[in-house]
């Protein structure tokens, strides 16, 4: 509907932008508001974005910054309903402040922060007060593509409430990382999600590094197939590293509550896994090293509470295991240098 190209000092306020449903001309990724060509000093306040679909009911953006994007953007109190692709897609830009994003009935990803092959940088993005319901894939997706030479760093997202997220994709993750550095996610509540709560993966040459995730509650994963509370999936060449998980509660996962492979130099602190639904472990950690696991808890696990396989130098301190059906702590493979204190 609207495109801003290389413009400065633009204000959108108190308006309703409705794409009127399906785009009958088969134009893929039809967007409601585009910011391009290094536009700057954009303010968007109290704006409604509705009905951005293409004829496949998939692909329309609500608000998107790409092809040079926009810098110095301030967004407050924006509302999205029935958007086909991303409600907010940031593919290029820096110095964004978003306070108050509300979304319903998104068919893909509500917030997508992603470097493309054209991106120069994505940095200094701050988003707070996000409420999303009935989103079919991810509430937040953070992707540093392998084909991109751009930078993605200094991303801060806080105060997030998601209900019925990942309803048609149980593996991608309600909050998804694929590469990226210097990212902080805090104060998150995910209820009745269709799949994994938080998932970290690596691209072909991009690891996930220097990430803090804190104050998270994940309640009741509804998938009958795959649904970790948290899943970290590094590789031997590109492990996830320098990650901190702090004050997290996972209740009713389908797969292991906390799953990690190739997670190095990281801290798992005050993470509780309670009542997984299937016969799975509370914590399942493999091929990882230099971990501090401090104050971790399991309650009512139907299998082993905590499993360590092929790990090196793990500090287990103040672990609390209640009512595990299987073994409390199971160590296997080539695990070495396990330090236990007050468990």
């Amino acid at each position: 509907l609207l495109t801003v190209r290389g413009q400065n000092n633009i204000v959108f306020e108190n308006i309703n932008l409705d794409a009127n449903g399906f785009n009958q001309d088969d134009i893929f990724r039809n967007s409601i508001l585009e910011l391009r060509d290094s536009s700057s000093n954009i303010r968007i306040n109290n704006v409604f974005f509705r009905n951005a679909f293409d004829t496949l009911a998939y692909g329309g953006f609500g608000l998107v910054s790409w092809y040079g994007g926009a810098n110095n953007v301030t967004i407050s109190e924006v509302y999205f309903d029935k958007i086909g692709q991303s409600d907010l897609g940031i593919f290029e830009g820096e110095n964004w402040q978003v306070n108050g994003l509300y979304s319903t009935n998104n068919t893909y990803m509500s917030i997508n922060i992603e470097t493309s092959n054209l991106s120069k940088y994505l940095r200094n993005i701050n988003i707070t007060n996000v409420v999303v319901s009935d989103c079919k894939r991810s509430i937040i997706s953070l992707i540093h593509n392998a084909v991109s030479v751009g930078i993605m760093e200094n991303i801060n997202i806080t105060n997030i409430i998601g209900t019925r997220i990942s309803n048609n994709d149980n593996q991608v993750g309600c909050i998804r990382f694929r590469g990226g550095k210097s990212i902080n996610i805090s104060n998150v509540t995910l209820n009745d999600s269709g799949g994994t709560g938080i998932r970290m993966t690596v691209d072909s040459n991009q690891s996930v590094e220097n990430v803090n995730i804190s104050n998270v509650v994940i309640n009741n994963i509804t998938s009958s197939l795959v649904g970790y509370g948290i899943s970290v999936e590094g590789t031997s060449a590109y492990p996830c590293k320098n990650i901190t998980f702090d004050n997290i509660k996972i209740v009713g996962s389908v797969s292991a509550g906390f799953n990690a492979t190739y997670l190095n130099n990281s801290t798992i602190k005050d993470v509780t896994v309670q009542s997984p639904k299937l016969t799975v472990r509370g914590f399942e950690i493999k091929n990882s090293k230099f971990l501090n696991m401090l104050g971790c808890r399991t309650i009512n696990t139907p299998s082993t509470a905590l499993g360590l396989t092929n790990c090196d130098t793990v500090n287990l301190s103040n672990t609390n295991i209640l009512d595990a059906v299987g073994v409390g702590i199971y160590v296997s493979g080539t695990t070495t240098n396990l330090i236990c204190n007050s468990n």
Side-chain angles (χ1 to χ4, degrees), residues 54-105:
D54 63 11
T55 53
L56 300 175
Y58 180 79
F61 287 92
L63 168 60
V64 61
S65 173
W66 55 4
Y67 296 101
N71 305 317
N72 305 316
V73 178
T74 301
I75 298 173
S76 58
E77 303 301 312
V78 287
Y79 303 84
F80 299 87
D81 183 47
K82 296 180 181 177
I83 305 297
Q85 175 77 353
S86 301
D87 298 320
L88 174 61
I90 310 176
F91 295 88
E92 192 163 9
E94 65 179 340
N95 301 327
W96 283 58
Q97 303 290 331
V98 181
N99 187 348
L101 185 153
Y102 309 93
S103 169
T104 57
N105 302 306

Side-chain angles (χ1 to χ4, degrees), residues 101 110-111 127-133 138-140 142 156-163 165 174-175 177 184-191 197-198 213-218:
L101 185 153
S110 180
I111 299 172
I127 301 174
T128 189
N129 297 324
V130 176
V131 180
V132 177
S133 62
S138 300
I139 185 172
I140 298 166
L142 301 157
N156 301 289
I157 306 176
T158 187
N159 299 339
I160 306 155
I161 299 174
T163 304
I165 312 299
C174 300
I175 296 176
F177 296 77
N184 298 299
I185 305 285
S186 64
N187 303 336
V188 179
T189 300
L190 300 173
N191 292 317
I198 298 174
I213 298 176
S214 63
N215 304 327
V216 176
V217 177
I218 300 171

